[in-house]
Every structure is written in C-alpha cells, then in structure tokens.
C-alpha cells in the first residue's frame, strides 16, 4: 500500500494539513472534517475545490483579479458555504 502526502485545506479556517493517504478521498476522510477539501489549481487560473469524499463535489472558481491567496480564499469560502448549506438542510430534516 503506497502512501502519498496530500495537502488538504479546511474551508472554514483556511488551515492546511499534510495528510499521508492512498488517495485524496482517504486524505479528506482522515481529517474527520466535513469542510476538508482537495485544491487543484488549473492552468487558466481557475481553482477546483473538491470536497465530500463520500459524494465528491467539485466547485470551480474563476476570478478576474486577485492574488493566488485571494483566489484560494474565495474557493475555500465557496466550499464553506456549501458545507454550511448542507448542514442546515440536514438539521431541518
């Protein structure tokens, strides 16, 4: 079993964690956090943020302006919003 180190971002805090796992899904699960996401910058400046290892969801964000850190913060805010909406929906059910 080969382990790779993945950089996982926590959407609510912006924290980065280095996680040794077989794949990105296992890395997200290992954090135990619903806001854990796998970030993949794209060549055109977009950022793909994938979260929910059980039912993977990818949000692609594109910003016309802003530094790399600002674009990452925007992508994480989008993930945090989706996680919060799902939690609110589950609480109402």
């Amino acid at each position: 079993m080969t382990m790779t180190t993945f950089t996982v971002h926590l959407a609510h805090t912006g924290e980065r964690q280095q996680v040794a796992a077989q794949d990105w899904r296992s890395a997200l699960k290992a954090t135990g956090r619903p806001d854990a996401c796998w970030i993949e910058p794209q060549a055109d400046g977009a950022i793909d943020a994938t979260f929910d290892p059980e039912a993977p969801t990818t949000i692609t964000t594109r910003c016309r302006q802003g530094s790399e850190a600002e674009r990452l913060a925007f992508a994480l805010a989008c993930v945090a919003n989706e996680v919060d909406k799902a939690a609110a929906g589950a609480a109402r059910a």
Side-chain angles (χ1 to χ4, degrees), residues 47-78:
I47 294 177
D48 288 347
T50 305
F51 61 102
D52 191 353
E54 300 302 326
T57 303
T58 301
I59 296 175
T60 301
T61 58
R62 289 181 173 79
C63 301
R64 294 177 190 213
Q65 297 180 15
S67 67
E68 183 177 340
E70 290 168 326
R71 292 192 311 269
L72 175 60
F74 178 65
L76 294 177
C78 291

Side-chain angles (χ1 to χ4, degrees), residues 1 7 12 15 19 23 30 50 57 73 77-78 81 88 93:
M1 179 182 328
T7 300
H12 283 112
E15 177 186 345
V19 180
D23 56 32
T50 305
T57 303
C78 291
N81 184 52

